[in-house]
Amino acid sequence: MLLNTVWRQYNKENNFRELLARFCKMEIESLIVDDKVLYATLKSKLTKKELRLFAMDSAQMSNEELKAGLELDDEELEIAKYKLYKKLKQDKVRLTFRESALGFDA
């Protein structure tokens, strides 16, 4: 399940659901149940660079590894992290991860 994804390149387990709930400040039970649909929604809301940063940062890679992998300097990395986590907290983004956004009952 989700074996050939950006997430799995940097993380051994599909634990993005827990991290997404934490960063979006949502209950994990309210997220889309199907991991594939949830990951597709996450992928559609983030740029490729943001998705890669989310996966790498969640794998607890050092800032040096992040800078090298994303070709950023210190300031650009901090700005990218800030923008990523700010985006995940925005209502228009985080509410798309809700099961009820698909037309199902939550």
Side-chain angles (χ1 to χ4, degrees):
M1 173 153 105
L2 300 173
L3 297 176
N4 297 322
T5 61
V6 171
W7 184 264
R8 289 303 293 258
Q9 289 177 7
Y10 303 103
N11 295 276
K12 293 179 180 164
E13 296 184 18
N14 286 334
N15 60 346
F16 68 93
R17 174 179 297 283
E18 293 83 13
L19 296 170
L20 192 58
R22 187 176 77 204
F23 290 122
C24 290
K25 297 183 178 183
M26 296 172 62
E27 296 294 324
I28 197 165
E29 296 83 22
S30 67
L31 293 176
I32 297 169
V33 175
D34 185 352
D35 279 347
K36 288 182 181 182
V37 175
L38 180 61
Y39 187 78
T41 305
L42 174 65
K43 193 174 170 182
S44 73
K45 293 299 174 185
L46 301 179
T47 65
K48 289 179 182 180
K49 198 172 209 175
E50 288 171 337
L51 182 60
R52 192 167 173 207
L53 174 59
F54 182 57
M56 292 171 79
D57 196 35
S58 297
Q60 300 177 343
M61 296 177 81
S62 70
N63 279 350
E64 296 305 316
E65 291 173 307
L66 291 174
K67 289 188 296 188
L70 297 168
E71 299 176 359
L72 300 172
D73 63 27
D74 288 330
E75 185 177 334
E76 291 171 331
L77 178 62
E78 291 307 312
I79 290 170
K81 281 184 177 182
Y82 173 78
K83 286 182 177 180
L84 168 65
Y85 294 115
K86 182 179 176 183
K87 183 184 262 189
L88 289 176
K89 291 177 187 174
Q90 291 177 341
D91 282 344
K92 66 180 183 180
V93 173
R94 69 186 191 93
L95 294 180
T96 61
F97 301 130
R98 287 189 172 279
E99 184 71 23
S100 59
L102 293 178
F104 303 116
D105 292 331

